[in-house]
Amino acid sequence: MAGFRALAREVRNPRNTIALRRTSLRKCLERFAPYGHRATWHHLCDLAGIAPADRAPDPARLVVALTELEEARAVWLAYEASFADRRKREKHDGIRQPAAVDAWHRNTWGGCDIVPCVSPDAYPAARLSDVLRRVITAMEAEPGDVCPVCSQDRLEWRPDLDRCPAQGPVCADCGIVVPAPVLTPGALAAARRRVLEDRYAAV
């Protein structure tokens, strides 16, 4: 099975057919898709000016989309390396019990569904690399009361997510499933309360 870098070379190879280059880009998302496969694809298409269903897009636009993905992957690989170094030091010092942040990281190992979006049509407006930097910064800081990506406080608890985690806070502004460890208990409680308020208001 080809790895991410081998597939990226296929996307850039001008001797390949446009169909193969597009397919290779889609396969890159099987190795690295921060928003989940479909939402990441829609983000890349939006950024590069490609219709998601276009089977013969401009090759230059495919390269733009690939470059966006590679930049984000470089940010994530650097984080994973620093995470592995930290855990090694902690284990050496006798700290065996992982923290809540570490539990989140286990679910994102490899780079898929790092900050999943509940809909392929709703994702942050910022570049992927910037979004990952914001989430990583939030993971390394004290918990806050707002979405780490867009800084909005319209968080709603969703008990019916079709991914891991199966439930969690969703940002109503940028569409991501916010990692619970970056939020304070008060923010999580407010997200649950907002769902109940909306449910009873509709009765």
Side-chain angles (χ1 to χ4, degrees), residues 3-200:
F4 184 95
R5 286 182 294 181
L7 289 167
R9 286 194 294 270
E10 293 300 307
V11 177
R12 286 197 166 89
N13 189 342
R15 293 188 297 274
N16 288 338
T17 65
I18 190 61
L20 175 58
R21 295 174 74 174
R22 180 187 183 275
T23 298
S24 297
L25 180 60
R26 290 299 298 259
K27 286 185 177 179
C28 283
L29 300 184
E30 295 172 8
R31 280 75 176 170
F32 182 73
Y35 297 155
H37 190 101
R38 291 180 63 212
T40 304
W41 175 249
H42 279 245
H43 165 81
L44 295 176
C45 288
D46 188 23
L47 174 96
I50 301 170
D54 187 353
R55 300 289 176 179
D58 180 347
R61 295 181 185 273
L62 287 177
V63 173
V64 169
L66 174 63
T67 301
E68 165 83 351
L69 194 62
E70 288 175 323
E71 289 174 359
R73 184 170 178 266
V75 170
W76 185 247
L77 291 178
Y79 170 71
E80 286 200 328
S82 66
F83 175 89
D85 287 343
R86 176 176 65 79
R87 285 299 295 145
K88 189 181 297 184
R89 290 194 306 272
E90 288 175 347
K91 289 179 180 179
H92 180 269
D93 295 337
I95 303 173
R96 296 285 173 176
Q97 186 64 34
V101 171
D102 301 330
W104 167 80
H105 186 267
R106 275 199 308 275
N107 293 330
T108 63
W109 190 263
C112 290
D113 285 330
I114 299 169
V115 277
C117 297
V118 292
S119 167
D121 300 315
Y123 43 80
R127 294 184 69 86
L128 271 174
S129 55
D130 290 336
V131 168
L132 292 183
R133 287 189 189 97
R134 292 172 193 174
V135 172
I136 291 167
T137 298
M139 283 292 178
E140 296 171 343
E142 291 296 316
D145 295 318
V146 298
C147 172
V149 172
C150 66
S151 300
Q152 299 300 314
D153 62 359
R154 295 199 312 138
L155 304 174
E156 300 175 355
W157 188 265
R158 291 281 299 273
D160 57 347
L161 301 175
D162 60 352
R163 53 175 40 87
C164 185
Q167 58 181 345
V170 173
C171 179
D173 286 279
C174 70
I176 70 162
V177 180
V178 181
V182 308
L183 297 173
T184 62
L188 291 171
R192 289 186 176 95
R193 192 166 52 247
R194 187 169 290 114
V195 171
L196 292 174
E197 290 170 353
D198 291 345
R199 184 181 301 163
Y200 287 118

